[in-house]
Amino acid sequence: MVFNKVMESDVEQLKRKLREKANSEKAKILSGFFKTGKGQYGEGDVFLGVTVPESRRVAKKYAGLKLEDVIRLLRSKIHEERLTALLMMVDKFQTKEGRGKVYRLYLQNTKYINNWDLADLSADKIVGAYLGDKPKTILYKLAKSKNVWERRIAILATFNFIKNNEFAETLKIAKILLNDEHDLIQKAVGWMLREVGKRDLETEEQFLKEYCKQMPRVML
């Protein structure tokens, strides 16, 4: 019981550190930037106004936090607390014994990875990195999800493969998402195709020649 209280104290200390760095003006700007209004994709999200570099410093300071407590933090209603939790998960994934556990917990908690910055800073570093030498079936399931963030995770996870000059999965998932109506998916697919082109322009151009007439303007 004492052990649990110590862990609880660490979590609360972390939260206080983030609140110490809160900035109401930044919070207001971020709330608008991440579309938190009624009916928008980030509806209901709560911001403190903490910058990503500040969140990284807090994540490093509390790097010893148990993974179970990091997941509790990930389930917070506060955006920066979820972001800090994901930064910590990325770091914990680097340990050999943590890879599988972090990957599984990540996929079990995608409902909390619910804005584009959260998906972008973690998908390739956890999901993509874990699946590098494994079957990619889960990515196709995510790509067909009704949840926009799971679809974004699917395409962003392939960034890890792109960095290793492996483009097949990116192109296959891009085809699945070709007619996606959400602009955040269109932007993500376009971004990944551009990253393919930076490394292999011919591969990108072949894809564009075949699909440019049917892909949304934002993606193109």
Side-chain angles (χ1 to χ4, degrees):
M1 294 298 292
V2 174
F3 179 79
N4 289 335
K5 286 182 179 179
V6 171
M7 290 298 99
E8 176 71 19
S9 175
D10 287 345
V11 173
E12 293 307 317
Q13 285 180 31
L14 186 157
K15 290 181 177 180
R16 282 196 295 274
K17 285 293 182 182
L18 287 175
R19 282 168 173 74
E20 287 173 6
K21 300 175 185 299
N23 182 307
S24 59
E25 287 301 312
K26 287 182 181 178
K28 186 176 181 180
I29 293 170
L30 290 170
S31 294
F33 186 67
F34 286 98
K35 309 294 183 184
T36 62
K38 187 173 178 59
Q40 296 181 308
Y41 62 72
E43 180 178 354
D45 206 351
V46 179
F47 283 84
L48 297 175
V50 180
T51 67
V52 173
E54 288 170 336
S55 294
R56 287 189 186 278
R57 283 191 284 272
V58 172
K60 292 292 184 184
K61 181 177 176 63
Y62 291 90
L65 202 66
K66 293 289 186 180
L67 184 55
E68 291 76 11
D69 290 298
V70 174
I71 296 301
R72 286 174 49 213
L73 190 66
L74 178 62
R75 295 170 180 172
S76 169
K77 67 177 181 179
I78 306 296
H79 187 96
E80 289 90 344
E81 290 180 3
R82 300 199 305 283
L83 185 144
T84 301
L86 287 166
L87 290 171
M88 297 172 82
M89 289 179 74
V90 168
D91 285 342
K92 288 181 181 297
F93 180 83
Q94 304 307 315
T95 63
K96 186 176 180 180
E97 62 274 14
R99 288 172 65 89
K101 190 172 184 180
V102 170
Y103 166 77
R104 289 189 292 274
L105 286 169
Y106 185 93
L107 291 181
Q108 289 168 12
N109 289 276
T110 53
K111 67 181 290 186
Y112 304 103
I113 307 168
N114 56 354
N115 218 311
W116 58 263
D117 62 324
L118 304 180
D120 294 6
L121 69 83
S122 60
D124 72 301
K125 296 177 179 64
I126 295 177
V127 180
Y130 185 78
L131 295 176
D133 59 351
K134 298 176 180 65
K136 313 297 191 291
T137 309
I138 185 62
L139 294 183
Y140 298 94
K141 180 179 178 180
L142 293 172
K144 296 174 183 177
S145 171
K146 292 182 179 179
N147 183 313
V148 63
W149 307 118
E150 290 190 343
R151 302 200 302 277
R152 187 161 176 119
I153 288 170
I155 188 65
L156 262 295
T158 72
F159 199 5
N160 183 275
F161 314 148
I162 294 171
K163 292 172 185 176
N164 291 301
N165 294 313
E166 299 170 1
F167 313 126
E169 305 301 335
T170 301
L171 300 181
K172 290 176 184 177
I173 291 174
K175 291 178 186 178
I176 293 173
L177 299 174
L178 202 60
N179 297 307
D180 199 294
E181 296 181 355
H182 205 296
D183 68 329
L184 287 176
I185 301 302
Q186 295 171 12
K187 291 175 182 177
V189 173
W191 173 19
M192 290 301 100
L193 290 174
R194 183 180 65 198
E195 292 297 332
V196 169
K198 288 179 180 179
R199 295 159 176 83
D200 188 335
L201 187 58
E202 183 179 353
T203 295
E204 180 191 33
E205 288 182 339
Q206 287 177 349
F207 185 90
L208 292 178
K209 285 177 182 177
E210 186 171 356
Y211 297 104
C212 66
K213 291 183 179 179
Q214 67 183 93
M215 66 171 54
R217 179 58 53 180
V218 170
M219 187 185 296
L220 183 59

